[in-house]
Amino acid sequence: GQLRAAMRMTGDATPAGLAAMAEREKARPWRMRFTGSLARVTANVSLQSAVCRHAIRLASAVAIAETLSRSLGAPRAYWLPMTAVIVLKPEFTVTFTRGLLRIAGTIAGLLLATAMFRFLPPGIGLEVVLIAGFVFLLRWVGPANYGIFGTAVSALVVLMISFTGAAPKDLILARGINTVAGGALALAAYAVWPTWERTQVAEMLARLLDAYRAYFSAVVDALTREGEANPAELDKARLAARRGRTNAVASVDRMQAEPGTRAEEAELLLGMLAISHRFVHAVMSVEAGILPGKRPVVRPEFRAFAADVNKTLEGLAAELRKARPAGQKWPDLREEHRRLTESPVAAGEQYALMNVEADRMANSLNTLREQIAGWRRLTASR
């Protein structure tokens, strides 16, 4: 099962596979694409979403920066909120390093501009040459070092605005004050509501699995209960699963940007996200392929398989939280799937779909179990 999954995922990762996926996305009706994007936005309108928290933090910082810039009445005050937007990022490390490098680079650039206007002979030709040199520097080395980027940009801005007749001394002073204030405000905004991902990524992944388990349970409940399925309950569980995934992906991305994160850790975390995504895709396929139509009689073998999936998801979340008892036996999902496929009940299209998606679920959870075990060993050796 894992070999089949690896072959399918490898095929999707090739240039031809990526192009085919893009074509399939384009072929979907615009209503489906719009509702899919809308569902992601709706799922993250919550304080439990890392994306939503950053949006609130950024909006608040910009509002405060704009209020300060208008209240102080300083020249070129738009540099203050602009710097806050540039510096403040969802990640602690990126915000901290960009803030310090932005401030240091700006001060260095302004000192360089001051020295140029003080000691170099005035002339349009020389200023044009300097502008060309700074543009080359920020395009050449700027992407690799934000401090150099800030130095080149600050000197370049002063040179270019001076062409309008503005006094260089006033420009240098306004740029320095507003940049330092905007950078300090961004750092303060993150300090008020910080996130250090190394201590939270395991919990975020555990919450993701909890949300997937709740969604899977809602789908199984809709399949097994008598009467019509409750769309509101399914929608609620699906949105919670989307939000959990967004938070987990954001947490892994932020952790990768933190100093001290090893490549092996990042590889395992990205693998967990990919495999867990395969699992929830299988659950969504069951919901979309079976629930809207005439539901089949649920076989006892599927009930046993679903119960083991629930136990496995619960155990994986506990393993991430280091709360699972040592030596506790894992359910044998592959054996349960074998019994499901060998059921004597005649299998129509719906049963074939159920069997295929159950295979994907078993593959995903067995692989995820191995990855989490590797993650625990790696973190224990830190």
Side-chain angles (χ1 to χ4, degrees):
Q2 290 177 315
L3 287 174
R4 288 196 301 272
M7 291 177 64
R8 283 194 294 266
M9 295 175 71
T10 304
D12 290 340
T14 62
L18 293 172
M21 290 176 64
E23 290 299 321
R24 287 196 299 270
E25 182 66 21
K26 290 179 182 178
R28 295 172 61 200
W30 71 268
R31 293 179 184 276
M32 292 183 64
R33 283 179 283 168
F34 174 76
T35 54
S37 300
L38 182 62
R40 283 193 292 273
V41 173
T42 305
N44 286 284
V45 182
S46 166
L47 289 178
Q48 296 178 351
S49 168
V51 174
C52 183
R53 291 198 301 273
H54 176 65
I56 294 172
R57 184 166 49 212
L58 182 60
S60 302
V62 172
I64 295 171
E66 183 66 14
T67 302
L68 284 174
S69 66
R70 291 179 179 273
S71 301
L72 297 175
R76 310 281 175 180
Y78 59 85
W79 278 330
L80 200 160
M82 182 189 72
T83 302
V85 170
I86 292 172
V87 170
L88 188 56
K89 298 296 179 185
E91 303 86 2
F92 172 83
T93 302
V94 176
T95 298
F96 185 75
T97 55
R98 283 176 73 94
L100 293 183
L101 288 174
R102 178 80 179 187
I103 293 171
T106 296
I107 293 173
L110 296 179
L111 291 174
L112 181 60
T114 302
M116 288 188 301
F117 283 108
R118 179 73 176 82
F119 297 108
L120 294 179
I124 296 296
L126 179 59
E127 291 178 354
V128 170
V129 171
L130 289 173
I131 288 174
F134 284 124
V135 170
F136 178 78
L137 183 65
L138 71 89
R139 296 293 296 170
W140 173 41
V141 188
N145 188 293
Y146 195 68
I148 296 176
F149 180 87
T151 301
V153 165
S154 295
L156 182 63
V157 166
V158 172
L159 281 169
M160 295 186 71
I161 296 181
S162 67
F163 282 154
T164 66
K169 179 180 178 181
D170 296 337
L171 289 173
I172 290 170
L173 184 61
R175 178 80 175 181
I177 292 174
N178 288 312
T179 299
V180 171
L185 178 62
L187 295 177
Y190 204 99
V192 171
W193 205 356
T195 305
W196 190 254
E197 290 307 320
R198 184 174 293 113
T199 61
Q200 300 191 36
V201 66
E203 178 61 26
M204 288 296 155
L205 288 170
R207 291 181 187 178
L208 172 66
L209 296 183
D210 287 340
Y212 281 0
R213 181 163 65 93
Y215 176 43
F216 175 76
S217 297
V219 172
V220 172
D221 184 58
L223 280 170
T224 54
R225 73 164 57 168
E226 295 184 1
E228 295 294 327
N230 188 339
E233 290 182 3
L234 288 170
D235 289 343
K236 183 178 179 181
R238 196 185 315 107
L239 288 175
R242 285 180 183 271
R243 183 167 56 248
R245 177 161 186 83
T246 301
N247 288 340
V249 170
S251 181
V252 171
D253 286 343
R254 288 193 293 269
M255 182 178 170
Q256 289 186 89
E258 291 179 353
T261 300
R262 292 179 286 183
E264 299 90 339
E265 290 180 288
E267 184 179 352
L268 275 172
L269 290 170
L270 292 172
M272 290 183 211
L273 290 175
I275 291 300
S276 65
H277 205 40
R278 290 194 74 245
F279 169 80
V280 81
H281 271 185
V283 181
M284 292 173 70
S285 296
V286 172
E287 180 191 356
I290 295 179
L291 286 181
K294 184 180 179 181
R295 286 175 289 170
V297 176
V298 178
R299 293 166 285 173
E301 291 82 5
F302 177 76
R303 293 178 186 272
F305 176 80
D308 280 353
V309 167
N310 258 312
K311 291 178 184 176
T312 302
L313 285 168
E314 185 179 11
L316 291 174
E319 189 76 12
L320 285 166
R321 294 184 174 108
K322 301 180 181 180
R324 188 171 183 272
Q328 187 176 6
K329 188 177 180 182
W330 290 97
D332 191 344
L333 293 176
R334 181 51 57 198
E335 176 61 21
E336 292 295 342
H337 179 260
R338 184 189 65 78
R339 292 173 182 168
L340 179 65
T341 55
E342 292 180 356
S343 174
V345 179
E349 286 187 6
Q350 292 176 327
Y351 279 145
L353 172 65
M354 184 74 76
N355 292 343
V356 169
E357 301 309 332
D359 179 46
R360 290 175 66 188
M361 294 178 200
N363 295 340
S364 302
L365 295 183
N366 284 339
T367 305
L368 190 59
R369 191 179 75 191
E370 296 171 6
Q371 291 172 327
I372 291 176
W375 161 259
R376 287 289 306 275
R377 290 193 297 270
L378 195 61
T379 53
S381 65
R382 176 179 286 277

